[in-house]
Amino acid sequence: MSQVRVRFAPSPTGPLHIGGVRTALYNYLFARKNNGVFILRIEDTDQTRFVGGAEEYIMDSLKWSGIVVDEGINEGGDYAPYRQSDRKHIYRQYADTLFDKGYAYYAFDTPEELEALRSASEKEGKTFIYNAGVRDKLNNSISLSAVEWNAKLDRGEPYVIRFKMPQEEEIHFNDLIRGHIFVNTSTLDDKVLFKSDGMPTYHLAHMVDDHMMKITHVIRGEEWLPSLPLHVLLYKAYGWDAPLFAHLPLLLKPDGKGKLSKRDGDKMGFPVFPLFWPYGETAKGYREDGYYPEAFINMLALLGWNPGTEQEIFSMEELINAFSLDRVGKSGSRFDPEKAKWFNHQYLQRRTNNQLALEFREFLRAKGFHVDMVRLEMLIGLVKERVSFVKDIWEQTDFFFKAPEGYDPDMVKKRWQADSGRMLNELISILQGVDDFTATATESAVKTWIESKGYNTGSIMNAFRLVIVGTLRGPHMFDIISWIGKGDTINRIEKGISEISRK
RNA sequence: GGUCCAUUCGUCUAGUGGUUAGGACGUCAGGUUUUCAUCCUGGUAACAGGGGUUCGAUUCCCCUAUGGACUACCA
C-alpha cells in the first residue's frame, strides 16, 4: 500500500478548540504509527470569517502540544501551497470539469430568493431542499435555455456552481469507526461547490486538495458525517479513488446537554482552548493554567480512545505505539475537568525536585523572593505530592517565606489553651539549645522535653503549628522550622504568644 | 420537522451469547499523618425501556425513548 498521508485541516476562524486539538492528535498518532506523513492545511475559503492571529494560534497550539507537522505552511512540502487561499487558482478548473461532465450546473438564484423559499417551506413544516425535485423550477442552467443562461453569464450576473445530486439513488459507503452506512440521495441537496465570490466551498476545495496531496485517510470530526455521501459522489464523478474515512465522536459538555463550548469553560472555570487567546473576547488556555503539554495530550488522547489495557499514563511515544483507529469509541465523550487535573498531578509527581524548583523559582521571583536552588529543592520535596500544579506550590509554602499575619480564630479557639503560652516559652529555650537545627535534631530534643515534663504532645504541637503557620495545615513541623531556621522560628513563637495571648 | 450517528457505574471506559460485568476519575468510610493535603485499604455505583432470536442475552435483530450532528454562496 502506498504511504499513509493524513491531514489536519482547520479553518482560521478563531482559537483552536480542544476538540480540534484532539482531531489533530489522532491524525498525528495515526500518521506516526503507520510511518506516514502528517499535513497541516489551512482551510480559509470563507473570507468573511477570517480572524487574524488564528493561523498562528493553530500552529502554536500544535507545537506546544508536541504535535509535529511534516508538511505545511511553515514546513513546506512537495504539495505546497498548504493554505487554500493561496491555492485559489486551482479550484475553478475542477468545478468546470464537473460542469462539462454534466455533474454540476450554474445557478443564479439570489440568497434572498433562496431564503424566501426556505421560510415558505418552513411554514408548511417542510424542509426546502435544492435538488431534483425543484431544480427545474429555479433559476439555473438546467431550467433555463442555453441562450438564456449564457446571456446571464455574459452580463456578469453572479452565480454559483452546484452539484447535480442524483434523483433517487442509494449511496453506500464505509466509515472506519462506524462501519457501513447508506443514505438515499433524495434527501440530499445540490450543494454549492463554487461560490459567487470566486472561491470554492469546503466540499470542493477539501477533496481537490486531498486528492492532489495524496491523502490516504481522512480523520475528522463527526459533524462531517452527513456530508460524506456528497464527498463519495464527488470522488466518483471525478473518477478518483476516495481516501478512507474515519469520523471522530464529539466532545460534550461536562454537565447538561450539547457539545463542549467556551461558555462551559467560563462557567465552570476550566479552559476549552490549549493556549490563551488574546484577541477580542479573550479565552484562557491550558498552558497558562499551568498544565504540562504531556498531561494535556495524555488526557485528550484518552477522551474517545482507549488502549484496551489498564494503562492510563502515556508518553507521546507510547501513544503512537498503542494507537489504532479501531479502538476509537463511537459515542461522544463528556469532558471531565477533574480528570484533567488528575493527569497533571500524575505528571507533576514524575518530575524531579530540581525541575520543579526551576519552574517554581519563576513564581517566586515574580513575588520578590530569591531562594537558592538547594533550599528550593528541599522545599519542593516537602510539598510536591500535595500539589497538582506548580502554581499550587505557593499556596502550600507561603508561610515558609513570611511569618503569619494572623492566626486562624477557629483554630485558636479550639487548640490554644490557657497554658499554651507558658509551654511555648519553655519550647523556645529547648530550641535555643539545639545547635544543629535539623528536623531530626529538633524533633528529638522537643520529644525528650515533652516526655520528661509529661506534657500532652497534641496540644503542644498544635499550638506550635499555630504560631509558626498561622493555622493547622502544612508539612511536618520539624521540617518547617528546620527550613526557616532557628532565629525565625523563635521570633515567630514569641510573636505568636504575645499576639494570641493579648486577645 | 427531515436525514444520519450514538446509548455499560455521576464521568472516561473495558468486556462477553453463560463473568462475582473489570479499571480510572469523583464520592464515601477506615488507616497512616499529633494538623491539612498526599498516600494506602475498602465501599458505593452501570448494561435506557419494550419486544423478539436463543436452552440462555448486557452482548445479535426490531421498535420506542433519550442524546448528538447535519439540514448556509460556514467550515
Side-chain angles (χ1 to χ4, degrees):
Chain A
M1 194 188 160
S2 55
Q3 184 182 42
V4 166
R5 292 173 58 82
V6 298
R7 84 304 196 272
F8 175 56
S11 290
T13 54
L16 184 64
H17 187 273
I18 55 174
V21 178
R22 193 192 58 166
T23 302
L25 176 65
Y26 286 10
N27 271 283
Y28 175 71
L29 295 176
F30 183 78
R32 284 287 174 276
K33 167 82 179 197
N34 296 289
N35 299 311
V37 176
F38 175 69
I39 297 160
L40 173 64
R41 188 174 69 218
I42 299 295
E43 311 225 323
D44 58 346
T45 52
D46 186 356
Q47 295 155 335
T48 65
R49 293 209 310 161
F50 175 81
V51 172
E55 200 173 285
E56 292 70 27
Y57 184 96
I58 290 164
M59 296 189 282
D60 290 347
S61 297
L62 296 184
K63 191 173 176 196
W64 178 71
S65 302
I67 296 172
V68 181
V69 175
D70 297 314
E71 295 178 21
I73 295 171
N74 292 337
E75 297 74 12
D78 294 343
Y79 303 89
Y82 291 93
R83 186 191 285 117
Q84 288 185 330
S85 58
D86 294 335
R87 302 170 65 78
K88 185 179 175 182
H89 60 282
I90 69 176
Y91 302 111
R92 177 62 204 235
Q93 56 184 297
Y94 286 96
D96 288 340
T97 303
L98 247 23
F99 177 83
D100 294 340
K101 289 181 160 186
Y103 288 116
Y105 60 91
Y106 297 112
F108 302 90
D109 318 274
T110 65
E112 294 74 28
E113 287 166 358
L114 293 173
E115 189 41 50
L117 288 165
R118 283 196 190 97
S119 49
S121 289
E122 203 174 321
K123 269 178 207 155
E124 295 173 45
K126 289 188 225 158
T127 308
F128 173 73
I129 306 180
Y130 199 131
N131 67 6
V134 295
R135 193 190 284 144
D136 53 0
K137 297 185 195 71
L138 295 164
N139 209 359
N140 53 54
S141 62
I142 290 176
S143 61
L144 269 24
S145 72
V147 177
E148 284 174 316
W149 63 259
N150 269 306
K152 281 176 179 287
L153 288 182
D154 289 343
R155 263 181 267 133
E157 281 191 25
Y159 65 93
V160 298
I161 298 175
R162 284 182 182 272
F163 182 69
K164 191 175 168 188
M165 187 59 70
Q167 185 154 17
E168 187 88 22
E169 203 176 293
E170 272 193 355
I171 309 296
H172 293 257
F173 48 93
N174 202 59
D175 182 273
L176 261 17
I177 292 171
R178 278 146 228 283
H180 173 255
I181 300 168
F182 72 93
V183 60
N184 195 298
T185 55
S186 62
T187 64
L188 271 21
D189 62 349
D190 293 353
K191 272 276 176 290
V192 172
L193 300 177
F194 202 85
K195 299 183 272 188
S196 58
D197 67 357
M199 282 293 232
T201 62
Y202 170 84
H203 300 105
L204 207 225
H206 96 275
M207 67 158 306
V208 167
D209 288 344
D210 284 348
H211 179 252
M212 292 179 75
M213 295 179 182
K214 298 191 162 57
I215 300 301
T216 56
H217 300 259
V218 171
I219 304 169
R220 78 228 299 194
E222 191 183 9
E223 67 270 23
W224 292 111
L225 200 51
S227 53
L228 183 51
L230 167 71
H231 302 158
V232 169
L233 248 19
L234 242 15
Y235 277 102
K236 238 204 284 188
Y238 282 115
W240 296 341
D241 284 333
L244 267 19
F245 294 95
H247 288 88
L248 270 18
L250 266 22
L251 258 30
L252 271 23
K253 293 179 185 301
D255 62 347
K257 298 171 180 178
K259 61 176 179 178
L260 184 64
S261 72
K262 179 176 182 296
R263 291 183 61 86
D264 301 309
D266 294 343
K267 197 174 70 183
M268 299 175 71
F270 66 88
V272 173
F273 301 99
L275 315 178
F276 175 68
W277 172 258
Y279 311 107
E281 192 186 344
T282 58
K284 38 192 276 176
Y286 277 84
R287 181 175 66 187
E288 290 73 17
D289 262 24
Y291 280 84
Y292 291 117
E294 296 85 356
F296 171 69
I297 284 300
N298 196 153
M299 176 270 293
L300 232 35
L302 258 14
L303 216 48
W305 169 85
N306 77 82
T309 66
E310 284 177 5
Q311 183 179 353
E312 290 205 88
I313 302 300
F314 285 86
S315 67
M316 189 66 96
E317 277 310 304
E318 291 174 312
L319 284 175
I320 290 167
N321 260 308
F323 189 78
S324 77
L325 245 22
D326 49 71
R327 293 208 68 89
V328 173
K330 293 180 183 179
S331 52
S333 311
R334 260 180 213 279
F335 179 73
D336 180 4
E338 285 305 315
K339 188 110 188 200
K341 284 181 194 158
W342 177 81
F343 273 108
N344 211 66
H345 181 84
Q346 295 300 314
Y347 276 82
L348 187 142
Q349 299 314 314
R350 284 166 171 74
R351 287 176 107 74
T352 64
N353 291 351
N354 181 264
Q355 287 175 309
L356 290 169
L358 250 19
E359 293 164 25
F360 184 51
R361 192 165 63 171
E362 299 308 311
F363 247 86
L364 287 179
R365 278 190 181 144
K367 292 194 178 285
F369 295 104
H370 297 270
V371 184
D372 71 77
M373 284 296 287
V374 175
R375 277 171 58 74
L376 212 45
E377 282 184 43
M378 279 172 57
L379 182 64
I380 298 291
L382 296 179
V383 299
K384 177 179 175 179
E385 57 189 25
R386 317 163 77 95
V387 300
S388 296
F389 298 93
V390 169
K391 66 183 177 191
D392 292 348
I393 298 174
W394 174 252
E395 293 161 26
Q396 298 292 335
T397 59
D398 54 344
F399 52 84
F400 280 83
F401 299 92
K402 49 183 197 202
E405 283 154 15
Y407 303 90
D408 189 329
D410 291 343
M411 292 303 143
V412 169
K413 198 176 164 194
K414 220 162 128 187
R415 303 291 187 184
W416 190 267
Q417 289 146 3
D419 54 354
S420 289
R422 184 183 55 77
M423 289 195 287
L424 289 187
N425 271 316
E426 276 183 45
L427 176 61
I428 291 175
S429 56
I430 297 298
L431 293 173
Q432 207 70 266
V434 182
D435 293 324
D436 175 27
F437 213 70
T438 62
T440 43
T442 53
E443 178 163 10
S444 104
V446 169
K447 282 196 165 158
T448 307
W449 162 66
I450 289 175
E451 247 170 71
S452 71
K453 295 280 189 165
Y455 289 153
N456 178 282
T457 310
S459 55
I460 300 239
M461 293 308 292
N462 281 314
F464 190 16
R465 183 174 291 276
L466 224 32
V467 296
I468 299 293
V469 176
T471 185
L472 298 182
R473 67 181 172 99
H476 197 55
M477 271 314 294
F478 298 101
D479 286 327
I480 300 176
I481 61 167
S482 165
W483 200 88
I484 66 180
K486 190 197 271 192
D488 198 14
T489 300
I490 289 168
N491 286 342
R492 289 194 193 188
I493 299 173
E494 286 171 343
K495 180 169 172 256
I497 293 170
S498 75
E499 292 196 11
I500 295 175
S501 307
R502 206 186 307 146
K503 288 172 192 170

